């Protein structure tokens, strides 16, 4: 079920006593699904994402009676937009140097207003209701914004990515799940090897569902190196981890043969995403959160004049 932001829903509003110009966050997924502050917006059929975001942020500014800043990660345009919206509904894009000053105090204030754990709880609620698309989009939005604020190696960013990988797995998008889980494992092996084994195991579980032989070989070699490093460090304590390391080695030795077709759940097969089935073009190897291109100032789709009716940009 989608959530619309309305002034009557006090749970969606920032803390009134928070420092001025709390930065809100918005996210546009590749399919146009739009999230503001951890809530999936009801787009009303053909409503453009930029208009929905401007309307939602303007509502916050009117409620607070003060200017509001917003950071928009737009995957449809592969850009990050930074906005300033006034209570009269007018808005403009700003350069990075005009944005709110970075730092732990600002990040702490923003996350106190919109706690990441509350967003995780909402994601879990969607997943429990089997609303996997909504849960996945919300998880992607959380991971993207935490990574932008805190960096990819931050503990909260890693946990959000692990949740996103698990939801991709539940949706049957095993290629994306593998990419996400491998990134978690890769970072963990680099920063905290003692805690890496469970993350390598999760990446292995997703990898075992891959069909494309090239992807099986490429990802499998990386997994094997991770398992061998953990073994050399004496960090394979659980029998299940030894079994998974052996499974990777055996599958690669056999030429990366795919798992039997019948082993994938029917529901997962129905919802399989790009690159997860036989005959599909494999997804490219994604870098660890390559920074998106900042938008130029004055970008029209996020610019609105004062007095402009909701739903209309300049």
């Amino acid at each position: 079920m989608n959530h619309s932001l309305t002034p009557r829903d006090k749970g969606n509003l920032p803390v009134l006593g928070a420092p001025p110009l709390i930065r809100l966050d918005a996210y546009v997924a590749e399919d146009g699904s739009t999230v503001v502050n951890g809530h999936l917006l009801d787009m009303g059929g053909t409503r453009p994402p930029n208009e929905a975001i401007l309307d939602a942020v303007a509502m916050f500014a009117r409620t607070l009676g003060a200017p509001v800043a917003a950071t928009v990660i737009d995957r449809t345009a592969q850009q990050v937009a930074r906005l300033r919206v006034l209570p009269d509904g007018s808005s403009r894009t700003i350069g990075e140097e005009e944005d709110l000053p970075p730092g732990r105090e600002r990040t702490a204030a923003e996350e106190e207003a919109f706690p990441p754990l509350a967003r995780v709880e909402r994601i879990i609620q969607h997943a429990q209701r089997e609303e996997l698309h909504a849960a996945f989009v919300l998880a992607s939005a959380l991971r993207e914004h935490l990574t932008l604020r805190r960096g990819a190696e931050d503990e909260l960013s890693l946990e959000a990515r692990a949740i996103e990988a698990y939801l991709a797995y539940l949706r049957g998008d095993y290629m994306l799940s593998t990419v996400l889980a491998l990134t978690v494992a890769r970072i963990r092996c680099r920063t905290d090897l003692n805690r890496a084994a469970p993350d390598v195991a999760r990446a292995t579980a997703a990898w075992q569902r891959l069909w494309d032989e090239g992807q099986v070989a490429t990802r499998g070699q990386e997994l094997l190196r991770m398992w061998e490093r953990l073994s050399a460090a004496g960090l394979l304590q659980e029998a299940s981890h030894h079994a998974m390391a052996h499974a990777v080695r055996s599958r690669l030795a056999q030429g990366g043969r795919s798992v039997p077709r019948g082993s994938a759940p029917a529901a997962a097969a129905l919802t399989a995403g790009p690159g997860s089935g036989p005959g599909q073009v494999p997804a490219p190897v994604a870098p660890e959160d390559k920074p998106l291109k900042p938008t130029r100032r004055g970008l029209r789709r996020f610019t609105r004049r004062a007095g402009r009716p909701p739903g209309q940009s300049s």
Side-chain angles (χ1 to χ4, degrees), residues 249-284:
R249 189 177 297 105
S250 297
R251 189 178 182 189
L252 291 175
Q254 295 170 12
R257 287 204 299 264
S258 301
V259 295
R261 288 178 182 270
S263 64
L270 290 174
T271 58
S276 61
Q280 292 179 326
V281 178

Side-chain angles (χ1 to χ4, degrees), residues 81-137:
R82 304 179 191 278
L83 318 178
R84 188 156 295 167
V85 183
L86 302 181
D88 63 9
S90 63
S91 64
R92 67 184 180 97
T93 55
I94 58 177
E96 190 168 0
E97 70 280 3
E98 295 180 83
D99 197 9
L100 301 174
R104 292 185 177 181
E105 290 184 4
R106 174 62 65 183
T107 296
E110 291 167 358
E111 294 180 1
E112 181 181 359
F114 301 100
L117 291 182
R119 301 190 187 198
V120 171
E121 291 175 359
R122 192 173 304 117
I123 292 167
I124 293 172
Q125 290 169 2
H126 279 289
Q128 289 174 336
R129 295 194 296 265
E130 297 187 356
E131 298 165 355
L132 296 181
H133 173 73
F136 179 77
V137 171

